[in-house]
Amino acid sequence: MSGLNDLHEGPGVLTEAAHRAESAPRRRLFIQSFGCQMNVYDAQRMADLLAPEGYAETSQAEDADVIVLNTCHIRERAAEKIFSELGKLRAVKSERAASGRDTKIVVAGCVAQAEGGEIFRRQKAVDAVVGPQSYHRLPELLRRAETERGLVETEFPAQDKFDFLVPPTPEQVRKRGVSAFVTVQEGCDKFCSFCVVPYTRGAESSRPVAEIVAEVKTLVSAGVREVTLLGQNVNAYHGANGAGGAASLAELCARIAATPGLARIRYTTSHPNDMSADLIAAHRDEAALMPFLHLPVQAGSDRILAAMNRKHKSADYVALVAEIRAARPDIALSSDFIVGFPGETEADFEATLDLVERVGFASAFSFKYSPRLGTPGSDLENQVEESVKSTRLSRLQALLEAQRQAFNHALVGSVVEVLFEKPGRHPGQIAGKTPYMQAVHAEGSADLIGETCPVEIVAAGSNSLFGRVAPSRAAREVPI
């Protein structure tokens, strides 16, 4: 990385941004993220960008000099929810103005990309709009917003935004915990007929291996033990390998796994058609790669899958799952499902239920189809009635929840490795996650946070497991 990534141009010489940070009074930044994990990552990078400009994060919008809504356009009525939130923030801005404090409101992310200047027409309290590929320009936009109105940055820039992002400080990393997200791939070329991602995030692009490895090393040196590699279609990763070729996601995972101190690697979100043989083998051979895979299928009916432009059939997905499980028998699967896609019949829906029964999932996300403006699905006839979608979603979620509970209860009595991440809900308790992404609570001392420990699972609640740290580790709780 280059450009703004370097806080110092040379020994003792501060950059312009660092000079501003030193001379300006400390300002407050509030960022609220909606939607996917990549938005969480983007929000953190925005905070990293603004730290050298003199901004410190706050958890209260009422205290902030700059408020950023980092938006998602995937779910139903996403834009309306954002405008509702903007109405509340307009009141905050007015109250602060009455006491002589200026507040800038920025709309970022995929709603910003999709709506652009329309946001200013509907909510005049907004100062700037910036899309997900342009947020590296946020410091400049905020400076311009002091004298300009209606600033919009939603072009897909020729330059890579990652070249302009500053690394987080060790203190920022430690505050965020022992698990971290790292974006490795953005955009999607699949053009599923229900999805806005190709229009809001653009075509598939992958970061070079060396940049990602360097970012992971920075995170691990500050205490991170687990990284989740992010991409809209992450298993289509094909980043430059430094030798004139492109690395696959499996090769990237192998490079990252060599980082001393890193315990776990995860990745999301995947497309079944890009689940390559070497990536399946990596789940068998790479100890750091966790046995948990989010592999969206969306539906079980071949007719609906074709209408969705998924480019795979139900039998293809089932066969792929069998291949993955042959390589890693203990792998836990998660998926996404959409019910009520235009033209979905009761028989089509039953095919989805049948696929769920055949595969078995440890967890899943399921939603009613909602038309997204500009996508092919929004123009299809035979839209399914809302009441039918609601009924089908309830039936599907009941089956998925039964499978989730069965998976969780099956671990009771076993010993699993848990990465402890934070204090628990009660004094003397710590919380972490199994390799299968289940939350675990156990009695233990805070010095176990950041460590992986064998834990006997003694009970399963509705949303988490309860365990007992193995005696060799529990002995650390006793002061010497």
Side-chain angles (χ1 to χ4, degrees):
M1 291 188 180
S2 59
L4 295 178
N5 215 24
D6 299 317
L7 287 180
H8 292 81
E9 295 174 343
V13 181
L14 290 173
T15 63
E16 180 184 352
H19 274 301
R20 284 194 298 269
E22 284 199 341
S23 59
R26 203 68 171 156
R27 292 168 288 183
R28 297 290 177 181
L29 169 69
F30 174 79
I31 304 180
Q32 183 176 0
S33 276
F34 302 82
C36 68
Q37 293 164 317
M38 192 175 287
N39 266 13
V40 175
Y41 175 85
D42 286 347
Q44 292 173 344
R45 301 316 301 268
M46 289 183 214
D48 298 340
L49 270 172
L50 292 174
E53 302 282 328
Y55 288 92
E57 290 186 79
T58 177
S59 60
Q60 301 294 327
E62 294 78 6
D63 299 332
D65 302 292
V66 170
I67 299 171
V68 179
L69 294 187
N70 193 28
T71 62
C72 176
H73 206 266
I74 295 294
R75 301 299 168 223
E76 184 178 11
R77 296 188 295 275
E80 295 307 315
K81 293 176 183 177
I82 296 305
F83 283 111
S84 174
E85 193 67 27
L86 286 172
K88 301 173 187 175
L89 294 178
R90 178 182 61 188
V92 171
K93 184 171 184 172
S94 296
E95 290 174 8
R96 285 175 56 86
S99 61
R101 296 177 295 173
D102 183 41
T103 306
K104 294 290 186 288
I105 297 177
V106 178
V107 179
C110 291
V111 171
Q113 187 71 37
E115 299 289 331
E118 175 70 8
I119 292 172
F120 296 113
R121 188 187 69 78
R122 295 186 57 180
Q123 181 49 262
K124 300 191 185 315
V126 174
D127 296 279
V129 171
V130 58
Q133 303 308 318
S134 303
Y135 68 73
H136 60 287
R137 295 176 176 170
L138 191 53
E140 175 196 350
L141 285 175
L142 289 175
R143 290 193 290 273
R144 290 172 56 193
E146 297 294 335
T147 57
E148 298 179 51
R149 295 280 301 163
L151 297 171
V152 181
E153 286 284 356
T154 55
E155 297 297 322
F156 290 101
Q159 70 271 38
D160 187 347
K161 69 183 180 186
F162 290 100
D163 288 341
F164 294 85
L165 299 183
V166 300
T169 65
E171 180 183 7
Q172 287 171 319
V173 174
R174 283 191 287 271
K175 285 182 178 179
R176 292 166 186 169
V178 300
S179 296
F181 296 131
V182 176
T183 291
V184 303
Q185 181 270 342
E186 287 192 277
C188 187
D189 297 341
K190 293 294 188 288
F191 287 91
C192 297
S193 60
F194 54 80
C195 186
V196 297
V197 165
Y199 312 102
T200 58
R201 290 277 183 172
E204 289 178 0
S205 63
S206 299
R207 296 175 65 191
V209 171
E211 287 188 10
I212 298 166
V213 170
E215 183 172 341
V216 170
K217 286 181 177 178
T218 298
L219 294 170
V220 173
S221 68
V224 166
R225 301 297 313 286
E226 173 184 270
V227 294
T228 299
L229 310 180
L230 300 179
Q232 271 83 33
N233 189 21
V234 70
N235 54 348
Y237 175 84
H238 54 281
N241 63 7
S248 67
L249 183 61
E251 293 169 310
L252 176 65
C253 287
R255 287 283 304 274
I256 291 171
T259 307
L262 182 65
R264 291 180 168 183
I265 300 170
R266 303 183 187 275
Y267 61 88
T268 194
T269 288
S270 303
H271 193 288
N273 290 2
D274 291 313
M275 198 70 201
S276 59
D278 68 334
L279 187 55
I280 294 172
H283 278 282
R284 179 194 64 211
D285 301 333
E286 186 55 68
L289 189 56
M290 291 295 96
F292 180 87
L293 175 61
H294 185 64
L295 191 64
V297 64
Q298 306 298 355
S301 161
D302 288 346
R303 194 176 68 85
I304 295 300
L305 288 170
M308 289 177 166
N309 196 35
R310 290 291 290 173
K311 299 184 177 69
H312 64 79
K313 295 184 176 181
S314 175
D316 299 330
Y317 185 88
V318 173
L320 175 62
V321 167
E323 187 178 354
I324 294 167
R325 283 177 168 158
R328 185 69 192 256
D330 69 329
I331 200 162
L333 291 177
S334 173
S335 196
D336 290 343
F337 294 91
I338 295 173
V339 302
F341 190 80
E344 183 187 70
T345 65
E346 184 63 23
D348 293 323
F349 175 66
E350 290 288 345
T352 296
L353 295 180
D354 179 65
L355 182 142
V356 173
E357 291 275 17
R358 293 171 66 189
V359 172
F361 294 95
S363 63
F365 300 96
S366 52
F367 309 93
K368 293 185 289 185
Y369 171 74
S370 61
R372 314 310 300 145
L373 186 64
T375 63
S378 64
D379 296 326
L380 293 176
E381 297 180 353
N382 300 320
Q383 298 284 332
V384 178
E385 291 183 9
E386 197 66 26
S387 60
V388 174
K389 288 193 283 189
S390 296
T391 299
R392 289 176 182 171
L393 182 63
S394 295
R395 291 172 61 192
L396 174 61
Q397 288 182 337
L399 176 56
L400 291 169
E401 177 62 12
Q403 290 189 347
R404 186 176 77 90
Q405 293 296 341
F407 182 81
N408 288 347
H409 281 81
L411 282 187
V412 174
S414 64
V415 175
V416 296
E417 288 288 323
V418 172
L419 172 60
F420 285 110
E421 300 174 325
K422 59 186 178 181
R425 292 189 292 251
H426 306 292
Q429 193 179 72
I430 49 178
K433 286 189 176 66
T434 71
Y436 313 110
M437 284 292 287
Q438 299 140 302
V440 177
H441 300 276
E443 291 186 2
S445 62
D447 69 345
L448 291 180
I449 293 173
E451 293 198 32
T452 54
C453 305
V455 173
E456 180 187 2
I457 305 302
V458 298
S462 58
N463 290 305
S464 57
L465 304 175
F466 301 90
R468 182 184 300 115
V469 179
S472 61
R473 296 296 188 137
R476 296 190 57 184
E477 298 174 26
V478 181
I480 298 176

